[in-house]
Amino acid sequence: MAAGFAVTTENRQYNGRMTPFIILSCMTAAMGGVIFGYDIGISGLVATFFASSVTRAFGRKPSILAGGAAFLAGAALGGAAVNIYMLIFGRVLLGVGVGFANQSVPLYLSEMALPRYRGAINNGFQFCVGIGVLSANLINFGTEKIRGGWGWRISLAMAAVPASILTLGALFLPETPNSLIQRNNDHQKAKAMLQRVRGTADIQAELDDLIKASAISKTIDHPFKKILQKKYWPQLTMAIAIPFFQQVTGINVISFYAPILFRTIGLGESASLLSVVVTGIVGIMAAQLGDHGGMSNGCAFLVSVLICVYVAGFAWSWGPLGWLVPSEIFPLEIRSAGQSITVAVGFLFTFIVAQTFLSMLCHFKSGIFFFFGGWVAVMTAFVYLLLPETKNLPIEQMDRVWREHWFWKKIVGEGTDETKLDGE
């Protein structure tokens, strides 16, 4: 996140510790990342908007449960399909499951975590995405050579494993204190849950902030209309820009077109695009790579190493933070709607990149690396200048970072409370 804009607060830190209860809860919820990594469906683009209403009206837990159940049903239909209609319907259900899970799980993780542990816990979602991608690749590799051509059934059916864990686990998940207060006026129940997840009885400061945020949220009938108001422009901008930038790093090209790219450089297996380091290697690529592909062993090895550098760089930055930041910046009254927009934009540009990459590669050749590398430069400047630091700030106090930011305060107005930004 942006350097030089650190947030400090006075007497507003919450009490609590990392309890086994919250660790198990968040580990179970993070399984939603596995099903996302295992299967990415465009039908989730639509499902995430329905998930917003479910999450707001019924809570985070039912939305996670619905996502797991839909994904489980889709895996069962796909594995047992006897005609194209079962395959299509199963595929739709897989996408619905992903849409619900991506909308609700990051919110659940951010709301359950203490401010100082929020990043670490929420990053578990991206870690699980990686597990899902790796699992899918390993299973596809293992089933490819099964005689009889029925290995695809195993690939589809195995998606039921993480879906089952998520669905069964969701039955035992506690609801977040934020959602409990938002959906009813039973403050005592929310207080008891907050004490349980924080491992301490001294939670009054956090409870007061939750009650205040809930009171505001109950005055909002149409969150998707509300988020268009000027005071929410910073959050709306991030809900669109962050998932957009996450996709134009080129990361999903690795997942979708790895074999083609590796064959292009002459290795014959898998590869990926370069982003941060692409401008350093692209001259070599342009010189060595002709219209018919193929590179020397030395250049192919160098590109492979840089691919690993790129993947590691993404895993340390835009991979997890692309999910974390949007899930923690929205006030309670528009949180479900904001997260839905984030997920939908991510799905949309995943689809666009997947559908246009081969054509772009044919036309741009080595210039495709300049395209993604250019976006990396733009997104770096965007984050440095426009995204304030959110580390350690309670989620229900997050509106302060916009009121004190050098640019956004011109839009939302300056804050007058005890929060201040260092370096201003």
Side-chain angles (χ1 to χ4, degrees):
M1 282 191 260
F5 299 104
V7 177
T8 61
T9 61
E10 298 177 9
N11 303 321
R12 300 299 293 176
Q13 292 300 316
Y14 299 155
N15 296 311
R17 58 186 174 84
M18 184 71 77
T19 62
F21 180 75
I22 193 173
I23 292 175
L24 289 174
S25 298
C26 291
M27 285 178 61
T28 301
M31 288 301 295
V34 177
I35 68 173
F36 173 55
Y38 198 95
D39 183 272
I40 300 175
I42 193 59
S43 50
L45 178 63
V46 177
T48 186
F49 291 110
F50 291 100
S52 173
S53 299
V54 173
T55 302
R56 177 180 170 86
F58 301 102
R60 283 57 169 151
K61 175 180 175 177
S63 190
I64 294 174
L65 181 61
F71 201 87
L72 181 59
L77 277 176
V82 295
N83 55 54
I84 189 64
Y85 302 105
M86 289 182 67
L87 278 174
I88 293 175
F89 188 53
R91 192 67 182 82
V92 170
L93 287 176
L94 291 174
V96 169
V98 170
F100 268 78
N102 282 16
Q103 196 278 337
S104 55
V105 169
L107 290 186
Y108 184 92
L109 298 176
S110 289
E111 290 183 347
M112 288 292 280
L114 274 168
R116 62 181 177 272
Y117 298 127
R118 188 171 60 237
I121 288 180
N122 203 292
N123 284 357
F125 183 81
Q126 177 64 23
F127 177 74
C128 287
V129 170
I131 292 176
V133 172
L134 177 61
S135 299
N137 289 334
L138 290 175
I139 292 172
N140 288 339
F141 178 79
T143 59
E144 180 184 8
K145 300 184 184 302
I146 293 180
R147 295 180 179 179
W150 52 270
W152 59 271
R153 292 187 181 274
I154 296 179
S155 295
L156 290 176
M158 286 298 291
V161 174
S164 297
I165 296 175
L166 181 64
T167 305
L168 294 176
L171 294 174
F172 302 97
L173 283 178
E175 187 55 88
T176 68
N178 313 61
S179 182
L180 287 174
I181 293 180
Q182 183 184 34
R183 292 183 295 108
N184 58 65
N185 293 317
D186 190 352
H187 294 170
Q188 290 303 312
K189 183 177 181 181
K191 181 178 180 179
M193 179 58 69
L194 196 58
Q195 290 173 333
R196 186 181 182 189
V197 299
R198 296 294 181 249
T200 178
D202 186 10
I203 46 79
Q204 194 59 45
E206 184 172 4
L207 181 63
D208 289 342
D209 280 342
L210 295 184
I211 293 174
K212 180 181 177 181
S214 177
I216 297 174
S217 71
K218 290 177 181 177
T219 65
I220 307 301
D221 295 325
H222 305 287
F224 283 103
K225 182 178 180 180
K226 187 73 173 180
I227 202 173
L228 298 177
Q229 293 184 357
K230 187 176 182 180
K231 67 177 181 177
Y232 298 122
W233 282 3
Q235 294 95 329
L236 180 60
T237 299
M238 297 304 162
I240 297 173
I242 289 178
F244 166 74
F245 284 134
Q246 189 183 48
Q247 295 309 312
V248 294
T249 60
I251 187 63
N252 274 329
V253 171
I254 299 174
S255 300
F256 298 155
Y257 297 111
I260 293 175
L261 287 171
F262 244 149
R263 284 196 296 270
T264 299
I265 65 173
L267 298 183
E269 288 295 335
S270 63
S272 70
L273 293 175
L274 309 177
S275 61
V276 178
V277 295
V278 69
T279 55
I281 192 61
V282 70
I284 297 176
M285 290 290 292
Q288 296 286 330
L289 182 60
D291 290 342
H292 301 290
M295 298 176 64
S296 68
N297 290 339
C299 286
F301 177 77
L302 178 59
V303 171
S304 299
V305 171
L306 290 176
I307 286 168
C308 294
V309 173
Y310 162 71
V311 172
F314 181 84
W316 289 331
S317 57
W318 281 90
L321 294 178
W323 293 107
L324 169 61
V325 175
S327 72
E328 66 183 3
I329 62 174
F330 299 107
L332 187 60
E333 63 267 22
I334 60 167
R335 190 168 296 156
S336 293
Q339 183 66 14
S340 292
I341 292 173
T342 298
V343 175
V345 172
F347 275 128
L348 176 62
F349 284 98
T350 296
F351 176 78
I352 291 174
V353 169
Q355 297 302 313
T356 61
F357 173 72
L358 288 181
S359 177
M360 292 173 62
L361 182 63
C362 291
H363 287 84
F364 292 169
K365 299 183 174 62
S366 60
I368 191 70
F369 301 121
F370 282 114
F371 175 80
F372 288 110
W375 278 116
V376 171
V378 171
M379 60 200 268
T380 301
F382 174 88
V383 168
Y384 182 81
L385 295 173
L386 297 179
L387 182 63
E389 182 58 72
T390 60
K391 182 179 180 180
N392 292 332
L393 188 66
I395 194 171
E396 303 303 350
Q397 299 178 27
M398 200 63 68
D399 62 315
R400 301 177 180 185
V401 301
W402 313 110
R403 298 201 305 266
E404 297 292 340
H405 187 269
W406 72 271
F407 176 78
W408 295 118
K409 69 182 181 182
K410 301 173 184 178
I411 296 176
V412 301
E414 294 188 44
T416 57
D417 54 26
E418 70 272 15
T419 303
K420 61 182 179 180
L421 294 179
D422 293 338
E424 288 266 314

